[in-house]
Amino acid sequence: MSGKDRIEIFPSRMAQTIMKARLKGAQTGRNLLKKKSDALTLRFRQILKKIIETKMLMGEVMREAAFSLAEAKFTAGDFSTTVIQNVNKAQVKIRAKKDNVAGVTLPVFEHYHEGTDSYELTGLARGGEQLAKLKRNYAKAVELLVELASLQSLFPGLNVLLLISSQSWMRESEKSSIG
Amino acid sequence: MLEGAELYFNVDHGYLEGLVRGCKASLLTQQDYINLVQCETLEDLKIHLQTTDYGNFLANQTNPLTVSKIDTEMRKRLCGEFEYFRNHSLEPLSTFLTYMTCSYMIDNVIPLMNGALQKKSVKEILGKCHPLGRFTEMEAVNIAETPSDLFNAILIETPLAPFFQDCMSENALNELNIELLRNKLYKSYLEAFYKFCKNHGDVTAEVMCPILEFEADRRAFIITLNSFGTELSKEDRETLYPTFGKLYPEGLRLLAQAEDFDQMKNVADHYGVYKPLFEAVGGSGGKTLEDVFYEREVQMNVLAFNRQFHYGVFYAYVKLKEQEIRNIAWIAECISQRHRTKINSYIPIL
């Protein structure tokens, strides 16, 4: 029983009731903090698992996309100049949204399509089928990248929150074990 | 005039025909392809290519060896051979060879025009141009301000001028979608080439006209297939079909109405040559229509060498060599990406 943790109180029955109420409040606060820390840990584990899965998938998808580029080049010849020259507006864009986890808001990225495909007629005379397949593969790769970016940006934010809430919970549990 | 060919052809063109047949003999055989497919790295590929007629063409390349370097070097080699033929040729072979280069010129002019109109630097585009399609006015393209300027000042000097006149009429060049322009130019080019071969008569017409007819029909089929689901209207599509070939005119009219692959297949079923080709699509090995057409083109080109005293051997040789370059580049890509499942999907030539 260290000196600074003692509360100076006048021993009366009212003071006891008040103290009991304060104890109850402190205990509820501590439980809520524990719940919050548990929810954050759960979310953290889920995100970690998802990141690993997405990264594995990313390797496969990128490989597939690079191969479909080789296939398209085999049939259609070299269309790189045409593509680079006709670049204007982006067709796939990203929005940042807020996601609520146990009372904490975290950013999440979402992709959306806008505008038409300006390369619709490329490869009209040769290689159109392979080019369509190529576009699909790379679109899939881009979507996966957006998801991965979103998850990875959650990761450090959640990490910090988890640390803070677990620290406060530890402090509370210390106090309650002593008092 | 049929006797004329055997009697007079060798006077003007005998040397070049002999040369091109010698070059054809150095195309890679099936055994060479089998060796290439078994390579593990691009360095192995280079060593195997040294034993073929390619020799040490990659000797001056610094590490690391990439697929695009191999591709550029092979193309340079083909260009060198072609320039030799062109420089030593007499009329009318030189006109024939110029016609052959027109298709590459069209492929070069389109990005040049696009770049000039968007005020972008023309230098990088020049670097990416196909070497066979070079023409002297290429560097002057960036001087022009507007498309009609470009046409009147520069393009009018090139062999492409009549093709532009066909598809321009009253429309200004910049209103036309660049892909539509490319395809329209190619259509008038094919028609002009076909007329030239037909007028020349003789064995050249007998060999080249079927090849060009197949090219026209193939374009019609592929354009139709690729325009399903795009904003290209049926009337626009019809203007892109070349007006000769087996499909002209009834088949083309039917094709213009087609809405999906099966309707296209029905049109092809009317023609004895195309029915088996369409039936080979899909099947085992997942062949696409384009693969099947490439194979048929290679077959026709190889058959061109069975006859003598005509210009078709030059056309056939260049096309076969190009296919070989594509095959080697494909094998090299599969090796460098370590994706060997489809490495045997090259088109075998001999």
Side-chain angles (χ1 to χ4, degrees):
Chain A
M1 282 246 271
S2 55
K4 49 186 182 328
D5 278 347
R6 293 191 93 182
I7 306 176
E8 298 295 332
I9 193 163
F10 185 70
S12 76
R13 199 154 308 244
M14 174 112 100
Q16 191 196 32
T17 328
I18 295 175
M19 263 301 107
K20 277 208 183 132
R22 270 178 79 178
L23 178 62
K24 192 122 174 291
Q27 273 177 340
T28 325
R30 191 175 131 239
N31 286 338
L32 279 175
L33 214 56
K34 181 166 196 289
K35 279 197 196 133
K36 178 169 164 184
S37 138
D38 282 346
L40 281 178
T41 319
L42 186 66
R43 190 63 197 268
F44 192 69
R45 291 241 169 87
Q46 275 176 345
I47 288 186
L48 204 55
K49 187 158 159 240
K50 199 113 192 293
I51 286 185
I52 295 177
E53 273 171 15
T54 317
K55 277 197 177 162
M56 305 278 246
L57 198 58
M58 193 72 221
E60 283 301 315
V61 167
M62 282 307 274
R63 199 156 166 263
E64 192 62 41
F67 193 66
S68 58
L69 179 61
E71 275 182 338
K73 274 205 275 204
F74 179 64
T75 317
D78 189 18
F79 47 85
S80 55
T81 1
T82 322
V83 170
I84 295 175
Q85 275 197 331
N86 290 335
V87 167
N88 42 15
K89 286 185 83 177
Q91 210 192 338
V92 178
K93 300 193 183 160
I94 297 187
R95 260 194 291 254
K97 291 206 326 205
K98 293 264 173 220
D99 191 23
N100 195 319
V101 176
V104 181
T105 57
L106 297 165
V108 164
F109 297 132
E110 187 194 52
H111 70 278
Y112 64 98
H113 287 270
E114 195 181 39
T116 54
D117 186 1
S118 52
Y119 295 104
E120 224 176 15
L121 293 177
T122 316
L124 188 63
R126 284 210 305 176
E129 238 179 281
Q130 276 79 355
L131 268 168
K133 188 163 132 194
L134 178 69
K135 279 190 244 180
R136 275 198 304 272
N137 281 344
Y138 269 104
K140 215 165 44 169
V142 164
E143 286 172 10
L144 212 57
L145 268 172
V146 166
E147 216 183 287
L148 193 61
S150 174
L151 288 172
Q152 286 197 302
S153 65
L154 281 180
F155 193 81
L158 256 187
N159 210 2
V160 168
L161 280 169
L162 199 60
L163 262 142
I164 295 177
S165 65
S166 63
Q167 271 175 1
S168 12
W169 184 67
M170 299 282 197
R171 223 175 292 134
E172 284 304 313
S173 59
E174 241 187 59
K175 278 196 201 155
S176 59
S177 67
I178 298 164
Chain B
M1 261 297 280
L2 229 69
E3 318 83 28
E6 283 96 31
L7 291 176
Y8 299 117
F9 187 86
N10 275 345
V11 180
D12 287 337
H13 317 297
Y15 166 61
L16 287 176
E17 182 178 349
L19 204 59
V20 87
R21 281 182 188 271
C23 290
K24 184 243 179 189
S26 68
L27 286 175
L28 296 188
T29 60
Q30 192 58 18
Q31 184 57 39
D32 291 317
Y33 280 119
I34 292 178
N35 288 343
L36 288 179
V37 163
Q38 287 171 348
C39 290
E40 291 291 323
T41 68
L42 289 184
E43 292 297 329
D44 278 347
L45 194 87
K46 174 172 149 186
I47 292 172
H48 272 109
L49 282 178
Q50 280 176 346
T51 60
T52 66
D53 203 50
Y54 280 104
N56 287 330
F57 78 117
L58 287 175
N60 297 336
Q61 292 301 314
T62 54
N63 284 331
L65 198 57
T66 63
V67 181
S68 58
K69 277 191 202 156
I70 299 179
D71 199 39
T72 327
E73 284 299 315
M74 288 197 284
R75 195 169 295 168
K76 253 201 274 190
R77 207 153 180 279
L78 171 63
C79 195
E81 286 172 354
F82 187 80
E83 288 298 316
Y84 185 84
F85 292 146
R86 201 139 65 140
N87 292 338
H88 284 74
S89 62
L90 298 170
E91 288 295 335
L93 179 58
S94 13
T95 318
F96 185 88
L97 293 177
T98 312
Y99 265 113
M100 275 173 59
T101 59
C102 281
S103 69
Y104 304 107
M105 273 194 229
I106 293 177
D107 279 337
N108 287 346
V109 146
I110 296 284
L112 278 173
M113 265 173 55
N114 219 8
L117 293 175
Q118 294 180 6
K119 308 281 183 287
K120 294 203 180 126
S121 149
V122 189
K123 262 206 181 28
E124 343 160 327
I125 309 177
L126 277 179
K128 291 200 172 181
C129 278
H130 198 288
L132 278 179
R134 279 200 192 287
F135 51 96
T136 39
E137 298 81 3
M138 257 165 75
E139 274 108 52
V141 161
N142 56 346
I143 301 174
E145 298 290 319
T146 71
S148 39
D149 227 10
L150 188 66
F151 177 71
N152 290 329
I154 296 155
L155 295 173
I156 206 132
E157 300 290 326
T158 68
L160 297 181
F163 311 143
F164 272 96
Q165 272 161 351
D166 270 343
C167 54
M168 276 245 291
S169 56
E170 300 94 38
N171 307 355
L173 276 171
N174 54 358
E175 276 171 23
L176 218 49
N177 183 327
I178 210 88
E179 288 298 321
L180 288 182
L181 180 63
R182 181 204 298 266
N183 284 305
K184 283 203 170 116
L185 283 176
Y186 205 88
K187 165 195 156 153
S188 51
Y189 152 68
L190 269 184
E191 287 169 2
F193 197 7
Y194 185 76
K195 213 162 65 167
F196 172 77
C197 289
K198 217 176 175 107
N199 286 344
H200 189 268
D202 233 350
V203 190
T204 304
E206 280 177 35
V207 171
M208 281 305 293
C209 288
I211 294 182
L212 288 177
E213 278 169 14
F214 173 70
E215 186 64 32
D217 294 336
R218 170 198 192 177
R219 273 190 93 78
F221 279 127
I222 300 276
I223 288 178
T224 316
L225 179 65
N226 289 333
S227 61
F228 293 146
T230 66
E231 59 192 23
L232 191 65
S233 70
K234 293 202 176 128
E235 298 80 35
D236 277 338
R237 192 205 293 173
E238 199 162 357
T239 59
L240 298 178
Y241 296 152
T243 52
F244 64 97
K246 291 204 169 57
L247 287 177
Y248 174 75
E250 302 89 20
L252 289 181
R253 209 175 307 133
L254 286 174
L255 259 189
Q257 304 303 319
E259 306 225 340
D260 60 30
F261 185 74
D262 289 315
Q263 286 182 7
M264 217 168 76
K265 194 155 183 280
N266 288 339
V267 175
D269 284 348
H270 295 307
Y271 297 90
V273 201
Y274 299 126
K275 186 160 181 215
L277 290 183
F278 270 79
E279 262 151 34
V281 176
S284 65
K287 280 207 190 128
T288 66
L289 188 61
E290 307 220 23
D291 288 334
V292 169
F293 278 146
Y294 267 125
E295 283 172 11
R296 175 112 179 97
E297 185 193 5
V298 162
Q299 264 174 2
M300 290 181 91
N301 283 331
V302 170
L303 285 176
F305 283 93
N306 285 347
R307 299 195 65 173
Q308 224 185 336
F309 308 126
H310 62 95
Y311 304 141
V313 282
F314 297 96
Y315 180 86
Y317 171 67
V318 169
K319 291 287 167 191
L320 287 177
K321 195 80 180 171
E322 269 198 332
Q323 183 59 46
E324 181 179 287
I325 294 178
R326 268 201 292 268
N327 283 347
I328 297 180
W330 170 252
I331 295 177
E333 282 268 11
C334 285
I335 291 175
S336 71
Q337 289 189 18
R338 284 187 275 280
H339 205 294
R340 303 183 80 98
T341 43
K342 283 196 169 175
I343 198 167
N344 287 316
S345 321
Y346 59 87
I347 315 265
I349 297 178
L350 294 170

